[in-house]
Each structure stands twice: as C-alpha cells, then as structure tokens.
Amino acid sequence: MSWDQQNPYQQNPYQHGYGYDQNPYGGQQQYTQHPYPQQQQYPQQQQYVDYGYTPAPEQTAPLPPVEPEPEPVREPVAVVEEPRPAPDPRSESEPASQPPSEPKPRSAGRDRYFDTLRAVALIRVVTYHTFGWAWCGMVFPSMGIMFGLAGTLMAKSLERPALKVVKSRLRRLLPPFWFWGFFVVMAMLIHDWLPGWQIVYWVVPLGDPPGNAWGEQAWEILWYLRTYLWFVLLSPALLWVFRKAPIPVLLGSLAPILVLNFVWSGPDNRFGSALWDLSTYFFCWILGFAHRDGVLQRMKPALVVVGSLAALGYGGWYAFSHQADFGTYDLDENPLAQAFWSAGFVMLLMWAKAYFRIDFAWLTRFKKLDRTVTIFNARAVTIYLWHEIALILAVPLIDQMWNVPAFEKWLPLDSQWFMFGVGWILIAVFVVLCGWVEDVAAKKKPELLP
C-alpha cells in the first residue's frame, strides 16, 4: 500500500493554526503569515488543536504542566483511650499523665474531577488529529477546558510569591519542550531547513517557532504552549485586576475576540497570531480564576445556566451560519465560535464542580482506571508534544505491515481506527522513553512511569 493511500492526513484534519499555510503531510510549502480577515476565511490557526492548557492544558492538555501526584490520603485514626483506674491518694503528688495527641490529618489530595477532564481532553486531541471529525470540538472543547483548568491551578499557585510561581511554571514547561524540540529541529535541518534569527523562538516560544513544511505536522501544535506561556506571564497582573472587579472582568474577557472579529483583525505577524489565540481562550482562563475564588459558586444557578446556554447558542449559531466563510463548522477554524462555545461549555463544567461539589472520589475504587488518569496527568506535556510524531510514524509503520501476508490478511491495515491504535502504542513508547524529562523539570526522581 502506498504512502498516499495510507496517509489519513490528506483530508487535512490538522487545521488548527491561525497564521500558517495548510499543507498535507509531506508538503513543501514554507512558513508564511496571512492576514486575519474579519468575516472571510479565517487564516489557518495552528489550532488544535482545537485548537486549546489546560486547555488544557492544563487541551487536552495539553497542555499545562501537571502538579506532582500527592501521597495517598489516609484517614486520621481515632485514638481510643483505655479507662483509667481511680487515682491513688498516695500518688496525688505525681503529675498526671498527658493524653495522647491525635495525629494531624494530611492535606487533601488532587481533585480527580479535574484530572479526569484533563485526561479526556488529551484523548480527544489525539482522536481529532487522527480522524479530523469536525464535531469533536462541539462534543468536548478540549483546549477551552485545558485553559480553564490551567487558570484554576494558576490562581491557586499565586497564593505564593508570583515570581516563584512563574519560575516554577517555566521550569516545568521548557525542559520537555527543549528535549522534544531538539529532535524536531535536527530532523528539519537534515531535510534542508535553513533557519534565520527566528530560531530563538525554539528556546522560549513567546512567538510561533519557525520550521519548514516537512516538519509542519510536528511543530504546528506549539501554538498551545505559546499561548499557555503568555497566560502564565500575564496571570499575576490579571489575577490582581480580576479580584478588584470579578464579574465585570469575567464578562469583559469576551470583548477582545469580538474586537478582533468585527473591528480590527490585528497585525499580520507572530504577535497577531498570538493575539488571536489569547483572545479566543481568555474567558476560559479567567473562568479558572472565578472558580478558584468561589465566584461561580456564589452566583445564582439560574444566571449561570442561562448565561452558559446563551454562549453555547451563539457559538453554535455562528459556527453553522458561517460555514460558507470557513468551509466547515469546525470550531478550530472559527475563533469567535470557538470562544463562545468553549465559554459556555467550560462555565457549566466549572459551576457544576463548585455547586454540586463533584470530586470523582469514586475513581479510586477502580485501580486501573485511576492509574491511567494519574499517568495522563503526570505526563500531559509529553503526550501533547509527542502525539503528532506518533501519528506521523504510524503511517510508514503500517505501510511496512502490508509487506507481511499474515498482517495484510488479518489486520485492518487500511482502517483509521487501526492507525489510531498504533498511534497510541507509539505514544505509550514515547511516554516511557521521554516522560522522565517532566520529572527532572519538576525536580523529582526520574521514573519510567509515575
């Protein structure tokens, strides 16, 4: 079977980057910038991916660096005192014995509700990049969820000094990125890439790292890391402003995407691309602040539900009513629809978590499932960075299987579902071989599996 026949990317499901030329796998077009029209075909977002941290990604999510898994929480053991004998008058002068002190309960562990959302977001990312289903973003907007989760964790972390928090986030994010980037950059150099000064974005991805068309499927997902990095740097100031006026700031966080879509499309460069992604997921990040500070929990349920449904309705309507402009109803190609759909979806998830106090504590009863969620969260950055390469490598690997008569007869080699399974096997290999970098970045003892 030829490469072209097997390659599922010919249908171009990887339409997630604002500001890049779209090309099928193995194309030869170079990195270019495009303008951002207001109502016409929106320039290709390096979206995810969905674009996405959390969206994870803490999006899913990635994805934002994951907090270390705490030790299992043990219930404090009640101390039962033996009945004491009547005091002996002859020993009244002796000091009374001190009662044993109760053990201090340990701090609460991770929230399995958020951990499960992050794991599902990552699975959805891989699914979308394999099949390219346009409806994936509406069923589960991974990147909005990842950014919402990351915003919550960032607000929690900023209870410590802001400079320490920002340094910690950078330390956890950049080493896995550098490790992954070394292989991608070297591969592109071997395939005739001639970088300019923009190669500095491979050191700190404040802008879109450059690359050639040969490696585009690998590096186009970096829009998420760039957006997450900017949110981390801006969070100390954003959180301070949010706490001055929570509701106005939360509602106003949808204004930037409206301005870019209807008033001013932004500059045609790396800054403009970053501005679009920040504006698309700004509400989700601020929503994470609102959840952490209890703002959602204090709001009237009817107000939250009506507001969420209104955002979902507008986002869905805009996506379907502008299919002619974007060629699809895929939210990854329509930033305004993505912003409002993600806003409504993530608000409902966050509010339900706070209002109904959902914690998914029952997950611990299913050891294998709980273990899987733990691995996904501890290796979120690794899974996000390496999943595209795993899917790319799955294509030539399956091509070789056609040369084995038994495989050709008994295996569904021409099925995308088979490619999906092979992709996850390769992702697992990358988690084992490369995931230890996340442990080193977190100043933990390196492990093959957490």
Side-chain angles (χ1 to χ4, degrees):
M1 178 176 180
S2 69
W3 177 283
D4 291 335
Q5 290 173 320
Q6 177 63 23
N7 187 4
Y9 299 102
Q10 290 179 338
Q11 298 178 358
N12 235 353
Y14 299 84
Q15 301 172 350
H16 19 277
Y18 302 136
Y20 294 99
D21 284 338
Q22 189 67 28
N23 74 306
Y25 182 84
Q28 295 301 321
Q29 49 195 104
Q30 299 294 319
Y31 171 91
T32 58
Q33 298 289 342
H34 296 292
Y36 295 86
Q38 297 178 11
Q39 290 296 340
Q40 292 79 27
Q41 173 69 35
Y42 186 76
Q44 288 276 288
Q45 170 91 290
Q46 36 259 77
Q47 162 75 320
Y48 198 10
V49 55
D50 270 4
Y51 310 80
Y53 31 170
T54 230
E58 234 219 271
Q59 282 181 115
T60 103
L63 305 157
V66 178
E67 301 292 337
E69 188 71 16
E71 296 180 8
V73 179
R74 297 180 180 177
E75 294 294 332
V77 180
V79 178
V80 181
E81 296 185 298
E82 295 290 338
R84 298 182 183 178
D88 190 341
R90 294 173 296 180
S91 60
E92 288 182 357
S93 59
E94 297 179 5
S97 59
Q98 296 293 330
S101 59
E102 294 187 2
K104 295 181 180 180
R106 297 188 180 184
S107 58
R110 293 181 60 100
D111 191 312
R112 300 312 268 173
Y113 177 74
F114 284 164
D115 288 347
T116 302
L117 288 179
R118 186 179 291 107
V120 174
L122 287 170
I123 294 173
R124 213 284 286 155
V125 169
V126 179
T127 303
Y128 176 80
H129 285 171
T130 303
F131 300 98
W133 292 325
W135 49 264
C136 279
M138 291 191 166
V139 173
F140 198 80
S142 293
M143 301 320 292
I145 291 170
M146 293 297 297
F147 281 116
L149 298 180
T152 295
L153 293 175
M154 193 65 187
K156 177 182 179 181
S157 297
L158 284 173
E159 295 171 0
R160 298 180 284 132
L163 185 58
K164 283 187 176 182
V165 173
V166 172
K167 285 183 177 180
S168 174
R169 288 292 189 274
L170 294 179
R171 188 188 72 242
R172 290 186 167 203
L173 178 67
L174 293 180
F177 165 67
W178 292 334
F179 182 81
W180 172 88
F182 172 80
F183 294 98
V184 175
V185 169
M186 290 302 297
M188 290 192 297
L189 290 174
I190 293 172
H191 287 79
D192 303 324
W193 180 46
L194 296 175
W197 67 267
Q198 295 92 345
I199 198 173
V200 297
Y201 293 116
W202 281 99
V203 180
V204 181
L206 292 175
D208 297 319
N212 61 5
W214 181 87
E216 184 175 356
Q217 280 187 272
W219 56 255
E220 65 181 352
I221 62 172
L222 293 178
W223 74 269
Y224 171 74
L225 269 68
R226 178 250 294 152
T227 306
Y228 173 79
L229 182 60
W230 273 111
F231 274 135
V232 167
L233 296 175
L234 295 173
S235 280
L238 290 176
L239 185 60
W240 181 83
V241 173
F242 171 78
R243 286 174 173 168
K244 293 293 182 180
I247 300 300
V249 172
L250 180 62
L251 296 178
S253 60
L254 285 170
I257 190 62
L258 291 170
V259 171
L260 287 175
N261 200 75
F262 295 114
V263 181
W264 175 64
S265 62
D268 180 21
N269 52 28
R270 281 180 167 85
F271 175 74
S273 179
L275 196 60
W276 273 96
D277 292 329
L278 284 167
S279 300
T280 300
Y281 297 103
F282 191 30
F283 183 90
C284 294
W285 190 272
I286 299 299
L287 195 62
F289 292 172
H291 169 78
R292 175 61 189 174
D293 285 7
V295 175
L296 291 180
Q297 194 172 9
R298 294 192 296 268
M299 294 175 66
K300 294 182 178 179
L303 181 62
V304 175
V305 173
V306 170
S308 298
L309 294 178
L312 287 168
Y314 180 72
W317 168 82
Y318 196 85
F320 284 100
S321 64
H322 289 76
Q323 290 188 69
D325 297 332
F326 299 99
T328 178
Y329 64 89
D330 192 338
L331 296 177
D332 294 349
E333 303 304 323
N334 189 330
L336 183 66
Q338 176 77 272
F340 275 85
W341 186 270
S342 295
F345 202 100
V346 178
M347 177 176 279
L348 284 177
L349 289 177
M350 292 282 190
W351 171 78
K353 158 67 180 171
Y355 189 79
F356 297 107
R357 300 185 179 182
I358 306 172
D359 58 9
F360 276 21
W362 53 265
L363 191 65
T364 57
R365 298 198 299 266
F366 303 91
K367 295 186 181 299
K368 291 184 179 180
L369 181 60
D370 186 63
R371 174 71 170 151
T372 301
V373 171
T374 297
I375 293 174
F376 267 80
N377 280 266
R379 295 291 184 259
V381 177
T382 300
I383 294 172
Y384 183 78
L385 286 174
W386 290 93
H387 82 273
E388 283 274 28
I389 295 179
L391 293 175
I392 293 170
L393 293 178
V395 175
L397 181 59
I398 294 175
D399 276 348
Q400 293 302 314
M401 293 182 183
W402 285 93
N403 298 324
V404 181
F407 290 169
E408 182 179 3
K409 180 178 180 180
W410 298 109
L411 296 179
L413 300 181
D414 57 349
S415 170
Q416 282 187 296
W417 283 102
F418 184 74
M419 178 186 170
F420 185 64
V422 173
W424 274 110
I425 293 174
L426 294 176
I427 290 172
V429 172
F430 283 126
V431 166
V432 173
L433 295 180
C434 309
W436 58 269
V437 181
E438 291 195 63
D439 292 332
V440 174
K443 295 184 177 181
K444 295 167 54 180
K445 180 181 178 181
E447 297 178 318
L448 294 179
L449 285 177

